[in-house]
Amino acid sequence: MHILLIEDDARMAQHIDKGLREAGHVVEHVADGREALFRAAGDAFDLIVLDRMLPNVDGMTILKTLRASGDSTPVVILSALGEVDERVKGLRAGGDDYLAKPFAMSELLARIDVLARRGPGISAEATRLSIGDLEIDLLGRQVRRGGQRIELTTREFRILEHLARNAGRVVTRSMLLEAVWEYHFDPQTNIIDQHVSRLRQKVDRDFGASLIHTVRGVGYILRGADG
Amino acid sequence: MAATHLLKRLSLRIALTYAVLFAGSIAAVLYVLYWMNVLRPLEMLHREVETEASTAVGTYLLEGPAATRILLERRSHVRAHRKAFHLLVDAHGRVLTSNLPSWPKRSAGGWARIEADIYREGEEDDYMALVYDQRLPDGARLIVGRDVESIDQFSTNLRQGALAIVGSTLVLGLLGGLVVSGTIGRRIDEMSRTARRVIAGDLTERVPVSGTGDDFDELATTLNLMLSRIEELFESVRRVSDSIAHELRTPLARLQADLDDLRQSGPGEAGHNALIDEAIAEASRLQSIFSALLRIARIESGRHGVTLRPIDLTAIVSDAIDLFLPEIEGKNLALTVDLPPRLLIEGDSDLLFQAVSNLLDNAAKFTPAGGTLCIAGERGDAGTVLAISDSGPGIPAEARDRVFERFFRLPATSKLEGAGLGLALVRAVASLHGGEIELADAGPGLTVRLTFRSSRS
C-alpha cells in the first residue's frame, strides 16, 4: 500500500516508517504541515497516517481541508491527546481511525489493514459470512460450524461477527472493545481475553481445527484452516 | 510613613475630599447669608441714596440753596430705619447745612464712606455713612448719605466667622482623615503583608482578624478561607506529585533493569525475548498509569470538554456487567441485578462506562470466589442512585476517604494488580456529573453508592 506519513517528530517518524515498510507498505514521509497538505492533494495515496500536532498547519486543518476538497483517502490520526473528546473531534473532522500515542506498532498495522480493506472487502449488506466450515447468518443471528448449530450470547455473536468481517486480519483488543462495546475506554484488565476465550470454547473446542487464533501481544485473528 | 505615601492613601484622599466638599458647602451657605444681609441691602441703599441725591440736585438747580437746605434738613428729621446724613457747602466753603460731624476736605467726587460718630450727652453713637459726594455746577458741594453701620458690622462679623468655620472644618477633616486613613491603612497593610508572605511561599500565613466583626474582619475571614483552600489544594497536589514520583520509580527501575539484562544477553539466548516482552509490558504499564493520571487530572480540572447529554444509566451498567460477566462467572459470584428499564441522567457515556467498569472490576477482583455481587439502581428523591455491593473484605472506615487519593492502596491489596487510580477516577467522573460517591459497610463487604442529582427535566 502507498502510505503518506505525516509526522514531525523525527524518531517517531523513523519508527513508524520502518514498521510500515517491514509490513510491505510503500511510505512517503513529510514532517511539515504545509508540505503535507501539498503532497496529499497532489499524489494519490491509499492511506494517510496523520499526526495531530504539526508545525505550520495543524493536523486537524489538513484533514478538514482534504475532506472539503472531496478527498476520501482513509486517514488514521495519531495523537498524544488520547482523550475521548479529542478522539470524537478527530473522527468528526473526517478521520477514519484515531490512535493515541504511544501505541504498539502492531496496533497501527492492524488498524491500517482493516481500513485498507474496508472499501472493496465484505460489503455491509452481506447477510452471510463463511470462513472455512464456519457459517454466520447475520440476519438470523445464527452460527453453524460444519452444519452444527452453535448457541452464542448477543455479545459473543458480535465479537465473532467483527472477527469474521475482518477474517484473515489481526483485530486488536482495543479494536474489539470499540467495535463490540462501542465505548472508548481503557479497561486496564485482561477482560477482553476472557470474552474471547469463552467464545473460543463454543466455536473451537469441539471441532478439530481452531479458527480463532491469538496473536501474541497484539490481538486475535479469525482464519480458516486453509487460510 | 512618608507624606507622599500618606497622600496616596485612598482613605486619606476620600477624607480630604469630603472635608473640602463640606467646607465648600459651608462657604456657600455663608455667602448666601452675606448676599442677603450685606450685598443686597447695600445695593438697595446705593439706589436710594442716588435717588435722594438727584432729588437734592434738582431742587438746588431749580429752587436754589435755601430750598435745598430745607429739603435736606427735613429729610434728616424723618425717622427712618437708617439715619440720613447730608452736607451742603457753597462755592465759598460756607456750610449751608450739615449733620455730619466731619467730612473730608476734598470731595471724593462719587461714592465714599465717612465715619459719622455722634456724641450726645457723653455717649457715642457709632455711625458709618455711605455717601454720594458731588460738586454742583456753581461750585457748591453736596453730600447725601445713609448710615450703614449695622451692615458693615454684620459683614465684618460674618467674614471673621466664615474664616474660623471653614478653617476649622478643613483642619478637623484633615485630622479625621488622618485617623481614618491610619486605621484603615493599618488593616490594609496587614493584609498586604500577609499576601506578600504568601507570595514568598509561606502558605500557612493568615490575615489577622480584629474580632470586631467589621467589614475588614469579614474580608479577612474570606481571604483566610481562600488561603486555607489554596493550601489544601496545594497540599493535595504536592501529595499527588510525591506519590507519582514514588509510584513511577518502581516500574521505571524495573524497565531499566530489564534493559540492562537485555544488554548482557545476546539474541537467541534463553530468555532474551522474554526480557524484551517484559520491558515492553513495563513500558505500557507506565503508559497506562500516565494516561489514567492525565485523564483524572483533565476530568478534575474540567478541561475534559465533554458535553453532558441525556443517557440511559441502565444501559451503561448492563454493558459494563456484560463486560465483566466472564470474570464474575469465573469466580462463581452470585450476581443480583436490580435495575429499572431506564435510568435517564445527564452524562457522558464513555466516562460513566469507565467509572462503572472500575467499580465492577474492583468488586470482582476483591470478592472471594463464591461470594455475592449486588447491583441496584433507582431514582429516588435525592436523585438517581447506583449501588454496587460485594461480599469482599470491604474498606475499613478510617481508610474510606483515602482510597480516593491517587495511588492509595490498602495494604491487603498491594499484592494484586493495579495502580491505585481506579477510585480516584470514579470520584472525578462522579463530581464531573455533579454526583457524589459514598462508601459504606455492606456487613460483610463494601457498598459503593453513586448518587447523581436529578436534572430539572
Side-chain angles (χ1 to χ4, degrees):
Chain A
M1 252 206 296
H2 197 193
I3 297 178
L4 176 64
L5 169 63
I6 307 171
E7 163 68 74
D8 63 315
D9 182 77
R11 264 183 75 178
M12 198 68 201
Q14 199 188 0
H15 171 67
I16 299 172
D17 188 278
K18 184 164 168 277
L20 292 176
R21 280 177 201 282
E22 278 169 6
H25 299 294
V26 178
V27 185
E28 282 190 46
H29 168 228
V30 289
D32 176 85
R34 209 171 291 147
E35 199 193 333
L37 202 51
F38 182 71
R39 294 299 305 276
D43 284 323
F45 289 95
D46 299 319
L47 189 130
I48 296 171
V49 177
L50 173 66
D51 185 23
R52 176 95 158 67
M53 313 268 217
L54 288 171
N56 291 328
V57 182
D58 169 65
M60 282 295 135
T61 315
I62 294 182
L63 183 54
K64 282 179 193 157
T65 314
L66 271 184
R67 292 298 185 244
S69 71
D71 191 323
S72 61
T73 312
V75 172
V76 180
I77 303 166
L78 302 181
S79 172
L81 306 166
E83 281 305 318
V84 172
D85 52 321
E86 291 298 332
R87 175 186 191 99
V88 170
K89 267 186 228 161
L91 296 184
R92 209 169 279 161
D96 296 273
D97 208 344
Y98 191 103
L99 204 51
K101 283 181 187 176
F103 52 84
M105 198 60 220
S106 50
E107 181 81 37
L108 176 63
L109 288 174
R111 282 169 189 263
I112 287 177
D113 220 21
V114 166
L115 269 182
R117 291 277 292 275
R118 184 182 279 177
I122 301 147
S123 78
E125 291 86 46
T127 57
R128 301 186 79 81
L129 298 172
S130 66
I131 295 100
D133 56 352
L134 180 72
E135 277 181 63
I136 304 172
D137 175 2
L138 294 177
L139 282 182
R141 302 233 147 217
Q142 285 188 4
V143 178
R144 287 173 188 279
R145 188 164 178 195
Q148 195 179 327
R149 176 123 179 238
I150 300 170
E151 294 295 336
L152 294 180
T153 65
T154 315
R155 199 68 65 179
E156 286 161 353
F157 183 86
R158 291 185 63 183
I159 297 172
L160 185 64
E161 180 189 340
H162 193 72
L163 288 172
R165 280 184 183 278
N166 294 294
R169 289 187 293 273
V170 178
V171 176
T172 66
R173 290 177 181 80
S174 60
M175 284 159 80
L176 263 185
L177 196 66
E178 284 162 24
V180 177
W181 272 270
E182 289 166 26
Y183 291 103
H184 294 293
F185 92 118
D186 182 7
Q188 306 240 342
T189 66
N190 61 347
I191 198 75
I192 296 292
D193 294 338
Q194 296 189 33
H195 280 274
V196 176
S197 92
R198 280 154 67 107
L199 176 64
R200 221 181 218 162
Q201 283 195 1
K202 294 185 180 173
V203 176
D204 279 344
R205 200 178 62 182
D206 300 333
F207 304 90
S210 288
L211 291 174
I212 303 172
H213 304 270
T214 305
V215 182
R216 231 171 77 78
V218 184
Y220 301 95
I221 186 167
L222 182 68
R223 195 164 42 199
D226 48 343
Chain B
M1 210 180 302
T4 49
H5 185 192
L6 197 68
L7 279 176
K8 274 194 216 149
R9 278 279 156 79
L10 177 69
S11 48
L12 181 66
R13 280 212 313 268
I14 292 174
L16 270 179
T17 310
Y18 274 95
V20 168
L21 276 176
F22 195 51
S25 41
I26 287 177
V29 169
L30 291 175
Y31 180 79
V32 170
L33 212 60
Y34 182 71
W35 180 79
M36 276 168 55
N37 292 290
V38 178
L39 292 182
R40 207 168 59 126
L42 272 181
E43 197 193 317
M44 281 160 66
L45 215 58
H46 272 99
R47 247 178 278 148
E48 197 184 333
V49 170
E50 236 165 36
T51 315
E52 286 171 344
S54 61
T55 308
V57 170
T59 308
Y60 186 90
L61 291 178
L62 293 173
E63 299 171 40
T68 311
R69 201 184 117 193
I70 294 166
L71 174 83
L72 290 173
E73 278 174 4
R74 197 179 291 151
R75 170 177 166 268
S76 73
H77 287 113
V78 174
R79 280 182 172 275
H81 174 54
R82 299 191 191 283
K83 191 173 168 55
F85 290 98
H86 65 265
L87 168 79
L88 184 62
V89 182
D90 71 5
H92 309 289
R94 273 177 307 185
V95 176
L96 299 180
T97 176
S98 169
N99 63 350
L100 280 168
S102 64
W103 54 88
K105 278 266 150 27
R106 292 175 60 84
S107 165
W111 293 103
R113 262 188 169 71
I114 297 172
E115 193 114 17
D117 298 348
I118 295 174
Y119 297 89
R120 207 183 310 158
E121 293 151 16
E123 283 202 30
E124 187 185 13
D125 281 347
D126 288 335
Y127 292 108
M128 177 59 76
L130 171 71
V131 300
Y132 191 73
D133 183 350
Q134 58 189 325
R135 287 266 170 212
L136 298 177
D138 65 351
R141 181 181 181 190
L142 174 70
I143 292 180
V144 177
R146 289 269 176 182
D147 167 47
V148 290
E149 175 70 26
S150 66
I151 296 177
D152 279 4
Q153 202 63 52
F154 186 81
S155 167
T156 314
N157 289 347
L158 192 65
R159 258 179 281 176
Q160 282 169 355
L163 207 66
I165 292 170
V166 173
S168 55
T169 307
L170 278 174
V171 169
L172 280 176
L174 185 66
L175 281 178
L178 280 174
V179 171
V180 172
S181 167
T183 324
I184 295 179
R186 192 169 42 78
R187 305 288 301 268
I188 293 178
D189 274 349
E190 284 170 358
M191 289 187 187
S192 55
R193 253 201 308 281
T194 308
R196 271 196 294 274
R197 277 200 290 266
V198 171
I199 292 169
D202 184 5
L203 274 173
T204 59
E205 195 64 41
R206 292 292 177 273
V207 181
V209 177
S210 72
T212 53
D214 58 10
D215 291 357
F216 276 100
D217 268 10
E218 214 167 288
L219 180 61
T221 313
T222 312
L223 285 177
N224 286 344
L225 279 175
M226 181 184 81
L227 284 172
S228 302
R229 180 79 184 121
I230 291 174
E231 192 187 2
E232 210 177 282
L233 287 174
F234 191 76
E235 193 52 38
S236 85
V237 168
R238 203 183 54 77
R239 251 201 328 267
V240 168
S241 48
D242 280 358
S243 42
I244 290 174
H246 180 257
E247 293 295 324
L248 293 184
R249 194 167 287 156
T250 319
L252 273 174
R254 282 203 297 254
L255 180 60
Q256 195 173 17
D258 287 343
L259 293 174
D260 249 2
D261 290 348
L262 260 181
R263 193 165 48 186
Q264 315 280 320
S265 79
E269 252 179 70
H272 185 77
N273 283 342
L275 273 175
I276 292 177
D277 285 349
E278 222 168 274
I280 290 175
E282 212 60 72
S284 68
R285 202 152 28 234
L286 272 169
Q287 140 73 2
S288 68
I289 290 177
F290 263 121
S291 4
L293 279 173
L294 280 176
R295 186 170 302 131
I296 295 169
R298 274 170 66 97
I299 295 170
E300 276 182 347
S301 66
R303 278 182 296 125
H304 195 270
V306 290
T307 34
L308 304 185
R309 47 178 69 89
I311 46 152
D312 182 9
L313 191 61
T314 294
I316 290 172
V317 176
S318 307
D319 284 344
I321 294 172
D322 186 84
L323 182 66
F324 284 91
L325 212 53
E327 178 137 15
I328 294 167
E329 288 176 356
K331 284 183 97 168
N332 216 359
L333 304 180
L335 175 69
T336 323
V337 180
D338 178 16
L339 290 168
R342 274 165 89 73
L343 266 181
L344 283 184
I345 63 167
E346 296 271 315
D348 178 274
S349 51
D350 285 320
L351 290 177
L352 284 171
F353 186 79
Q354 173 91 64
V356 175
S357 293
N358 284 4
L359 293 176
L360 288 180
D361 188 26
N362 280 351
K365 195 155 65 180
F366 297 128
T367 308
T372 58
L373 179 56
C374 189
I375 297 153
E378 60 166 355
R379 184 179 293 281
D381 293 335
T384 302
V385 181
L386 175 71
I388 298 176
S389 311
D390 62 45
S391 62
I395 296 175
E398 64 274 12
R400 279 183 199 152
D401 277 334
R402 294 208 59 204
V403 290
F404 294 111
E405 288 175 16
R406 295 165 180 81
F407 297 114
F408 180 83
R409 304 186 68 184
L410 288 170
T413 68
S414 57
K415 293 247 160 39
L416 288 163
E417 203 183 319
L421 293 171
L423 283 176
L425 187 116
V426 176
R427 186 171 66 170
V429 171
S431 66
L432 180 82
H433 286 82
E436 269 168 38
I437 182 166
E438 259 179 288
L439 301 179
D441 208 331
L446 178 73
T447 297
V448 183
R449 195 174 289 115
L450 275 172
T451 309
F452 300 96
R453 262 176 271 129
S454 316
S455 56
R456 296 289 124 220
S457 52

